[in-house]
Coordinates of all heavy atoms in Angstrom, one line a residue:
G1 N -13.8 2.9 -19.1 CA -14.2 2.8 -20.6 C -15.1 1.6 -20.8 O -16.1 1.4 -20.2
V2 N -14.6 0.7 -21.8 CA -15.4 -0.4 -22.2 C -15.6 -1.5 -21.1 O -16.4 -2.4 -21.2 CB -14.9 -1.1 -23.5 CG1 -15.0 -0.1 -24.7 CG2 -13.4 -1.5 -23.3
A3 N -14.8 -1.3 -20.0 CA -15.0 -2.2 -18.9 C -16.2 -1.9 -18.0 O -16.4 -2.6 -17.0 CB -13.7 -2.3 -18.0
S4 N -17.0 -0.8 -18.3 CA -18.3 -0.5 -17.8 C -18.2 0.2 -16.4 O -19.3 0.7 -16.0 CB -19.2 -1.8 -17.6 OG -19.3 -2.4 -18.9
Y5 N -17.1 0.2 -15.7 CA -17.0 0.8 -14.4 C -16.5 2.2 -14.4 O -15.8 2.7 -15.2 CB -16.1 -0.1 -13.5 CG -16.7 -1.3 -13.0 CD1 -16.7 -2.5 -13.7 CD2 -17.2 -1.4 -11.7 CE1 -17.2 -3.7 -13.3 CE2 -17.8 -2.6 -11.2 CZ -17.7 -3.7 -12.0 OH -18.3 -4.9 -11.5
T6 N -16.9 2.9 -13.3 CA -16.2 4.2 -12.9 C -15.9 4.1 -11.4 O -16.8 3.7 -10.6 CB -17.1 5.4 -13.2 OG1 -17.4 5.5 -14.5 CG2 -16.3 6.7 -12.8
S7 N -14.7 4.4 -11.0 CA -14.3 4.2 -9.6 C -13.8 5.5 -9.0 O -13.2 6.3 -9.7 CB -13.2 3.2 -9.5 OG -13.6 1.9 -10.1
K8 N -14.1 5.7 -7.7 CA -13.6 6.8 -6.9 C -12.6 6.3 -5.9 O -12.8 5.3 -5.2 CB -14.7 7.6 -6.2 CG -14.2 8.7 -5.4 CD -15.3 9.5 -4.7 CE -16.1 10.4 -5.6 NZ -17.0 11.3 -4.9
F9 N -11.4 6.9 -5.9 CA -10.3 6.5 -5.1 C -9.9 7.6 -4.1 O -10.0 8.8 -4.5 CB -9.1 6.1 -5.9 CG -9.2 4.9 -6.7 CD1 -9.7 5.0 -8.0 CD2 -8.9 3.6 -6.2 CE1 -9.8 3.9 -8.8 CE2 -9.0 2.5 -7.0 CZ -9.5 2.6 -8.3
A10 N -9.3 7.3 -3.0 CA -8.6 8.3 -2.2 C -7.3 8.6 -2.9 O -6.8 7.8 -3.8 CB -8.3 7.7 -0.8
A11 N -6.7 9.7 -2.6 CA -5.4 10.1 -3.3 C -4.4 9.0 -3.1 O -3.5 8.8 -4.0 CB -4.9 11.4 -2.7
T12 N -4.4 8.2 -2.0 CA -3.5 7.2 -1.7 C -3.7 5.9 -2.5 O -2.9 5.0 -2.3 CB -3.5 6.9 -0.2 OG1 -4.8 6.6 0.2 CG2 -3.0 8.1 0.6
G13 N -4.8 5.8 -3.2 CA -5.1 4.6 -4.0 C -6.2 3.7 -3.4 O -6.6 2.7 -4.0
E14 N -6.7 4.1 -2.2 CA -7.8 3.3 -1.6 C -9.1 3.5 -2.3 O -9.5 4.6 -2.6 CB -7.9 3.7 -0.1 CG -9.0 3.0 0.6 CD -9.4 3.6 2.0 OE1 -8.7 4.6 2.3 OE2 -10.3 3.1 2.6
L15 N -9.7 2.4 -2.6 CA -11.0 2.4 -3.3 C -12.1 2.9 -2.4 O -12.3 2.4 -1.3 CB -11.4 1.1 -3.9 CG -12.7 1.0 -4.6 CD1 -12.7 1.8 -5.9 CD2 -13.1 -0.5 -4.9
L16 N -12.9 3.9 -2.8 CA -13.9 4.5 -2.0 C -15.3 4.2 -2.5 O -16.3 4.0 -1.8 CB -13.8 6.0 -2.0 CG -12.5 6.6 -1.4 CD1 -12.5 8.1 -1.5 CD2 -12.3 6.1 0.1
A17 N -15.5 4.1 -3.9 CA -16.8 3.9 -4.4 C -16.7 3.3 -5.8 O -15.7 3.6 -6.5 CB -17.6 5.2 -4.4
E18 N -17.7 2.6 -6.3 CA -17.7 2.1 -7.6 C -19.1 2.3 -8.2 O -20.1 2.1 -7.5 CB -17.4 0.6 -7.7 CG -15.9 0.3 -7.5 CD -15.6 -1.1 -7.8 OE1 -16.3 -2.0 -7.4 OE2 -14.5 -1.4 -8.4
F19 N -19.1 2.6 -9.5 CA -20.4 2.8 -10.2 C -20.3 1.9 -11.4 O -19.2 1.9 -12.1 CB -20.6 4.2 -10.7 CG -20.6 5.2 -9.6 CD1 -19.4 5.7 -9.0 CD2 -21.8 5.7 -9.0 CE1 -19.4 6.6 -8.0 CE2 -21.8 6.6 -8.0 CZ -20.6 7.1 -7.5
A20 N -21.3 1.1 -11.7 CA -21.2 0.1 -12.8 C -22.4 0.2 -13.7 O -23.5 0.1 -13.2 CB -21.1 -1.3 -12.3
L21 N -22.1 0.4 -15.0 CA -23.2 0.2 -16.0 C -23.4 -1.3 -16.2 O -22.6 -2.1 -15.9 CB -22.8 0.9 -17.3 CG -22.8 2.4 -17.3 CD1 -21.9 2.9 -18.5 CD2 -24.2 3.0 -17.4
P22 N -24.6 -1.6 -16.8 CA -24.8 -3.0 -17.1 C -23.8 -3.6 -18.1 O -23.2 -2.8 -18.9 CB -26.2 -3.0 -17.7 CG -26.9 -1.8 -17.2 CD -25.8 -0.8 -17.1
A23 N -23.5 -4.8 -18.0 CA -22.5 -5.5 -18.8 C -22.9 -5.3 -20.3 O -24.1 -5.3 -20.6 CB -22.4 -7.0 -18.5
G24 N -21.9 -5.0 -21.1 CA -22.2 -4.7 -22.5 C -22.4 -3.2 -22.8 O -22.6 -2.9 -24.0
M25 N -22.3 -2.4 -21.8 CA -22.4 -0.9 -22.0 C -21.1 -0.3 -21.5 O -20.4 -0.8 -20.7 CB -23.6 -0.3 -21.2 CG -24.9 -0.8 -21.6 SD -26.2 0.0 -20.7 CE -27.6 -1.1 -21.0
Y26 N -20.8 0.9 -22.1 CA -19.6 1.6 -21.7 C -19.9 3.1 -21.6 O -21.0 3.6 -22.0 CB -18.6 1.4 -22.8 CG -19.0 2.1 -24.2 CD1 -18.9 3.4 -24.4 CD2 -19.4 1.3 -25.2 CE1 -19.3 4.0 -25.6 CE2 -19.8 1.8 -26.4 CZ -19.8 3.2 -26.6 OH -20.2 3.8 -27.7
S27 N -19.0 3.8 -21.0 CA -19.0 5.2 -21.0 C -17.6 5.7 -21.4 O -16.6 5.2 -20.8 CB -19.4 5.8 -19.7 OG -19.4 7.3 -19.7
F28 N -17.4 6.5 -22.4 CA -16.1 6.9 -22.9 C -15.3 7.4 -21.8 O -14.1 7.2 -21.6 CB -16.2 7.9 -24.0 CG -15.0 8.2 -24.7 CD1 -14.5 7.3 -25.7 CD2 -14.3 9.4 -24.5 CE1 -13.3 7.6 -26.4 CE2 -13.1 9.7 -25.1 CZ -12.6 8.8 -26.1
R29 N -15.9 8.3 -21.0 CA -15.2 8.8 -19.7 C -16.3 8.8 -18.6 O -17.5 8.7 -18.8 CB -14.7 10.2 -19.9 CG -13.5 10.3 -20.9 CD -12.8 11.6 -20.8 NE -11.6 11.6 -21.6 CZ -11.5 12.0 -22.9 NH1 -12.6 12.5 -23.5 NH2 -10.4 12.0 -23.5
G30 N -15.8 8.8 -17.4 CA -16.7 8.9 -16.2 C -16.1 10.1 -15.4 O -15.0 10.0 -14.8
L31 N -16.9 11.2 -15.3 CA -16.4 12.4 -14.6 C -17.3 12.8 -13.5 O -18.5 12.8 -13.6 CB -16.3 13.5 -15.6 CG -15.4 13.3 -16.8 CD1 -15.5 14.4 -17.8 CD2 -13.9 13.1 -16.4
W32 N -16.7 13.3 -12.4 CA -17.5 13.8 -11.3 C -17.4 15.3 -11.3 O -16.4 15.9 -11.1 CB -16.9 13.3 -9.9 CG -17.8 13.6 -8.8 CD1 -17.8 14.6 -8.0 CD2 -18.9 12.7 -8.3 NE1 -18.8 14.6 -7.0 CE2 -19.5 13.4 -7.2 CE3 -19.4 11.5 -8.7 CZ2 -20.5 12.9 -6.5 CZ3 -20.5 11.0 -8.0 CH2 -21.1 11.6 -6.9
L33 N -18.6 16.0 -11.5 CA -18.6 17.4 -11.8 C -19.7 18.1 -11.1 O -20.8 17.5 -10.9 CB -18.8 17.6 -13.3 CG -17.7 17.0 -14.2 CD1 -18.1 17.1 -15.7 CD2 -16.4 17.8 -14.1
P34 N -19.5 19.3 -10.7 CA -20.6 20.1 -10.1 C -21.6 20.5 -11.1 O -21.3 20.7 -12.3 CB -19.9 21.4 -9.5 CG -18.7 21.5 -10.4 CD -18.3 20.1 -10.8

């Protein structure tokens, strides 16, 4: 959300990837879709 990041995790909780908007920007949701 307002923290600007979207993260991809393994099912076990291990962080796999991060996507970051510039500071001061948000995305209400971050979804990975075909």
Side-chain angles (χ1 to χ4, degrees):
V2 293
S4 302
Y5 282 84
T6 303
S7 305
K8 179 180 280 188
F9 294 90
T12 55
E14 175 192 0
L15 179 65
L16 300 176
E18 283 189 323
F19 304 81
L21 287 164
M25 298 186 196
Y26 65 77
S27 181
F28 189 78
R29 292 191 172 98
L31 303 174
W32 190 268
L33 300 166

